[in-house]
């Protein structure tokens, strides 16, 4: 299903086509959002909104197929948005087609206060974030002198951004905060080249525009911004007709690699003369971007080796758990710092494992790992095992340091982000190769003995919350608040009893001195007290 965004605002789009209605219409179908100029920015926002609500909806294990294609769209967000899209693995859902002569996709590299007023009005940017100028009614036409000044302005500011070795913290440099995301198809009369990644996109947006300014083949701003129909029609011809490298490129390929010849063809297709002065710099940029993102599969293989090296830390925590199963359980032993020598070793291994998995997520968010990494059974299962084993220790550490009193409940205020991501991986495992869903596993077999690890990673946090509520209810006098707490405690009692009955908990949960066993005693006393209070009121 195709939605073409024209002269709507994003707010109007949401009002005209509600996302819930859209979900019902296209259930199980692919969606394409597309738009030109400012409509491209609106289409991008609509696609992002659709991806957000789809990924958060329980009706979908994974987000439905979505593609957003824009033509001559201005930059939309800052580097934080670009990194957030990478983190959610949505970069491949966006494709931005940019003409070599078009100033609009490059305009927001400049501070808006430096852009001529008539350009802001023509592109309807007076309401764009960062524009502080009062704009009256002026003509949209741009004279030749003003056009040349604008091109020089864009070239100068985009060059500053492109030459930066690090694009982080743009606010510290005083430049424009806008940055690209997704894939960019850079078109010229000679073909098209595709790049992705923040650094490569910025550098090629500058390089292609600078090459145009040097060659002198300048179109009017209006013509350059409205030529995408012709470019799209010619694009299939460039794909069908194979290009022949020049003799210089053939020699380069023989002396270096076929990759160098491929770079030469990409430069030519994007409108950059391979023998021009700036071509050497562009070649260096493309090679650097290739090295920076080289072979996610190799990175994944290296990560598997590191996982094998970190496995002894996991085994040591398993041994620590087994040593306390019959008494207090390893959760309470860690919380109470029993056997200080064992505690310190387990704590070190806990920290090392956390650092390893944080590093894995950092590599995933920066596209150093395969796009389907979080769907591979090996890594989903490894992350799940780590979570079930180690998160109880994190909960114990949180409560031992009384952070629940200063920050609030662990589940809502203290949980590490990696655990929330691992929950998402596990919930969607039924659609991944080598994984089975919870329902099919439960239906096919019933446990004959208690699980090696409690299957709810936040079970001990729920126990701690229940103990706090029980203590508060025993000391409280407000009948309404007491009734609410008792109802909440009955729900937890029912939930925990189901886990124990189905043997979805580890044996340490039922240890005589575990927090769960102690809570059962406290809960029985509270129920007896409540029954006695109710009976006396009834008699009265």
């Amino acid at each position: 299903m195709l939605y073409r965004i024209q002269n709507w605002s994003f707010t109007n789009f949401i009002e005209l086509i509600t996302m819930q209605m859209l979900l019902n219409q296209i259930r199980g179908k692919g969606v394409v959002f597309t738009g030109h100029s400012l409509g491209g920015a609106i289409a991008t926002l609509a696609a992002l909104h659709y991806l957000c609500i789809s990924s958060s909806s329980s009706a979908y294990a994974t987000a439905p197929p979505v593609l957003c294609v824009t033509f001559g769209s201005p930059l939309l967000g800052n580097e934080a948005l670009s990194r957030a899209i990478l983190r959610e693995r949505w970069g491949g859902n966006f494709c931005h087609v940019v003409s070599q002569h078009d100033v609009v996709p490059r305009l927001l590299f400049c501070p808006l206060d430096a852009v001529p007023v008539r350009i802001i009005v023509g592109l309807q940017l007076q309401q764009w974030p960062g524009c502080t100028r009062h704009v009256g009614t002026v003509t949209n036409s741009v004279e030749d002198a003003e056009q040349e000044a604008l091109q020089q302005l864009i070239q100068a500011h985009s060059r500053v951004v492109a030459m930066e070795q690090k694009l982080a913290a743009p606010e510290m440099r005083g430049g424009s905060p806008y940055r690209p995301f997704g894939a960019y198809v850079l078109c010229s009369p000679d073909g098209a080249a595709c790049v992705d990644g923040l650094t490569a996109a910025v550098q090629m947006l500058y390089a292609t525009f600078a090459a145009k300014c040097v060659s002198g083949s300048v179109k009017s701003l209006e013509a350059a911004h409205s030529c995408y129909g012709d470019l799209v029609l010619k694009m299939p011809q460039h794909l069908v007709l194979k290009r022949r490298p020049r003799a210089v490129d053939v020699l380069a390929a023989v002396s270096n690699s076929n990759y160098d010849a491929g770079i030469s063809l990409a430069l030519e297709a994007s409108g950059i003369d391979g023998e021009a002065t700036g071509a050497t710099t562009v070649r260096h940029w493309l090679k650097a971007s290739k090295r920076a993102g080289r072979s996610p599969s190799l990175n994944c293989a290296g990560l598997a080796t590191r996982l094998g090296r970190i496995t002894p830390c996991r085994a040591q925590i398993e041994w620590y758990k087994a040593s306390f199963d019959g008494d207090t359980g390893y959760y309470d032993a860690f919380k109470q710092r029993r056997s200080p020598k064992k505690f310190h070793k387990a704590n070190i291994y806990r920290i090392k494992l956390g650092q390893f998995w944080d590093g894995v997520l950092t590599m995933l968010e920066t596209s150093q790992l395969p796009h389907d990494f979080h769907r591979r059974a090996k890594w989903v299962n490894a992350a799940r095992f780590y979570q079930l084993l180690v998160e109880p220790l994190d909960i114990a550490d949180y409560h031992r340091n009384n952070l629940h009193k200063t920050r609030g409940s662990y589940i809502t205020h203290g949980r590490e982000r990696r655990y929330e991501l691992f929950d998402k991986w596990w919930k969607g495992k039924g659609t991944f190769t080598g994984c089975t869903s919870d329902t099919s596993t439960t239906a096919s077999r019933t446990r004959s003995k208690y699980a090696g690890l409690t299957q709810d990673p936040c079970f001990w946090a729920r126990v701690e919350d229940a103990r706090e509520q029980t203590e508060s209810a025993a000391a409280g006098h407000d009948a309404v608040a007491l009734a609410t707490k008792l109802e909440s405690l009955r729900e937890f009692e029912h939930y925990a009893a189901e886990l124990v009955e189905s043997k979805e908990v580890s044996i340490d949960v039922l240890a005589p001195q575990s927090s769960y066993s102690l809570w059962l005693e406290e809960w029985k006393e509270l129920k007896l007290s409540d029954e006695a209070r109710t009976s006396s009121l009834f008699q009265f």
Side-chain angles (χ1 to χ4, degrees):
M1 187 172 292
L2 175 67
Y3 284 93
R4 184 168 180 263
I5 311 301
Q6 294 180 312
N7 296 324
W8 295 347
S9 70
F10 177 62
T11 305
N12 289 339
F13 175 79
I14 297 301
E15 291 175 352
L16 288 174
I17 305 177
T18 63
M19 287 298 120
Q20 187 59 46
M21 183 184 299
L22 188 60
L23 283 171
N24 294 333
Q25 291 178 355
I26 62 172
R27 191 179 300 274
K29 299 179 181 178
V31 189
V32 178
F33 294 90
T34 182
H36 173 255
S37 191
L38 194 60
I42 298 172
T44 303
L45 286 173
L48 282 172
H49 182 70
Y50 179 60
L51 285 169
C52 286
I53 64 173
S54 298
S55 62
S56 61
S57 174
S58 59
Y60 296 95
T62 57
V66 176
L67 177 62
C68 177
V69 183
T70 69
F71 300 90
S73 172
L75 297 175
L76 185 62
N78 58 8
E79 186 176 354
L81 176 63
S82 178
R83 294 192 180 279
I85 290 172
L86 281 177
R87 183 172 62 246
E88 296 295 333
R89 313 297 293 170
W90 292 343
N93 296 93
F94 296 90
C95 177
H96 307 284
V97 181
V98 175
S99 167
Q100 182 185 12
H101 302 272
D102 195 357
V103 301
V104 175
R106 305 165 173 91
L107 184 63
L108 292 181
F109 284 134
C110 309
L112 285 181
D113 290 345
V115 179
V117 175
R118 66 182 73 251
I119 302 298
I120 294 177
V121 173
L123 297 176
Q124 303 176 15
L125 296 179
Q126 57 266 38
Q127 302 298 327
W128 212 260
C131 182
T132 59
R133 300 164 65 184
H134 175 72
V135 178
T137 303
V138 297
T139 177
N140 292 346
S141 61
V142 181
E143 298 179 357
D144 292 342
E146 196 172 22
Q147 174 175 316
E148 183 177 354
L150 177 62
Q151 291 169 344
Q152 292 176 356
L153 178 70
I154 292 174
Q155 184 176 352
H157 283 281
S158 59
R159 182 179 186 277
V160 170
V161 179
M163 290 298 179
E164 289 286 344
Q165 295 298 320
K166 294 182 179 180
L167 296 177
E171 64 276 4
M172 300 300 293
R173 303 193 302 269
S176 170
Y178 292 95
R179 291 295 181 270
F181 60 84
Y184 271 75
V185 179
L186 303 165
C187 299
S188 77
D190 298 321
C194 183
V195 296
D196 59 0
L198 176 61
T199 303
V202 169
Q203 292 170 340
M204 289 301 291
L205 283 171
Y206 159 71
T208 52
F209 191 75
K212 180 266 301 187
C213 291
V214 171
S215 65
S217 57
V218 179
K219 294 182 178 181
S220 68
L221 298 186
E222 293 82 357
H225 190 52
S226 59
C227 67
Y228 288 95
D230 295 335
L231 289 176
V232 171
L233 291 176
K234 293 179 181 178
M235 198 174 296
Q237 301 176 11
H238 294 299
L239 294 176
V240 172
L241 298 176
K242 294 183 178 180
R243 295 181 175 275
R244 293 183 178 274
R246 296 172 300 177
V248 176
D249 298 329
V250 173
L251 292 176
V254 172
S255 59
N256 295 306
S257 68
N258 290 334
Y259 181 67
D260 292 328
I263 289 180
S264 298
L265 291 177
L267 294 180
E268 182 183 352
S270 59
I272 302 174
D273 186 356
E275 298 180 358
T277 305
T280 303
T281 303
V282 180
R283 288 176 185 273
H284 172 73
W285 284 343
L286 290 176
K287 289 182 180 180
S289 65
K290 176 66 176 177
R291 287 194 296 269
R294 179 171 295 173
S295 190
S297 297
L298 288 179
N299 290 338
C300 187
L303 198 60
T305 303
R306 291 174 53 196
L307 177 64
R309 293 173 182 170
I310 205 73
T311 298
C313 294
R314 192 179 71 182
Q316 289 291 333
I317 294 181
E318 290 183 75
W319 174 82
Y320 175 81
K321 175 185 180 300
S323 64
F324 291 102
D325 273 350
D327 183 16
T328 61
Y330 81 126
Y331 168 79
D332 287 280
F334 193 83
K335 179 182 174 182
Q336 300 166 16
R337 301 180 65 142
R338 292 197 174 189
S339 183
K341 187 175 181 180
K342 292 181 180 179
F343 165 80
H344 287 297
K345 286 186 177 180
N347 195 39
I348 291 174
Y349 297 138
R350 176 183 72 93
I351 294 172
K352 285 184 177 180
L353 287 170
Q355 291 173 344
F356 169 79
W357 284 104
D358 284 341
V360 171
L361 294 178
T362 299
M363 293 179 67
L364 183 61
E365 291 168 0
T366 53
S367 299
Q368 299 179 50
L369 295 173
H371 70 280
D372 62 342
F373 176 86
H374 62 299
R375 301 182 180 183
R376 298 186 178 184
K378 172 181 177 178
W379 291 102
V380 172
N381 292 332
R384 183 64 173 181
F385 189 90
Y386 156 76
Q387 180 183 13
L388 296 180
L389 178 66
V390 177
E391 188 167 9
L393 301 184
D394 286 357
I395 298 171
D397 183 74
Y398 188 82
H399 283 270
R400 184 180 66 249
N401 293 309
N402 292 319
L403 296 179
H404 61 292
K405 296 180 179 179
T406 56
R407 296 182 184 177
S409 173
Y410 169 85
I411 296 177
T412 55
H413 296 91
R415 205 174 185 211
E416 293 288 346
R417 178 174 164 271
R418 59 176 174 268
Y419 295 132
E420 297 175 355
L421 291 176
F422 294 160
D423 279 342
K424 291 183 179 179
W425 293 9
W426 187 251
K427 288 177 182 177
K429 69 188 178 66
T431 61
F432 306 153
T433 304
C435 294
T436 56
S437 64
D438 289 334
T439 55
S440 62
T441 302
T442 304
S444 61
R445 63 182 180 85
T446 302
R447 292 184 182 273
S448 59
K449 60 180 182 179
Y450 289 105
L453 297 169
T454 301
Q455 297 303 294
D456 179 3
C458 290
F459 177 79
W460 290 109
R462 304 185 204 281
V463 171
E464 294 288 357
D465 291 344
R467 294 194 71 182
E468 286 186 14
Q469 285 190 341
T470 303
E471 181 180 356
S472 175
H477 301 287
D478 186 345
V480 177
L482 178 61
T484 302
K485 291 175 183 177
L486 289 175
E487 180 62 27
S488 176
L489 289 169
R490 290 190 186 97
E491 291 178 359
F492 175 71
E493 179 189 27
H494 178 71
Y495 169 75
E498 284 187 341
L499 286 181
V500 173
E501 184 179 356
S502 60
K503 294 183 171 56
E504 293 291 313
V505 298
S506 174
I507 191 65
D508 65 297
V509 170
L510 305 177
Q513 297 300 316
S514 73
S515 291
Y516 176 69
S517 297
L518 295 177
W519 173 78
L520 286 177
E521 296 298 326
E522 296 166 359
W523 173 231
K524 289 179 182 178
E525 293 179 4
L526 179 61
K527 287 195 293 184
L528 291 174
S529 175
D530 180 62
E531 289 174 0
R533 184 186 302 110
T534 304
S535 177
S536 62
L537 288 174
F538 180 75
Q539 291 176 2
F540 175 78

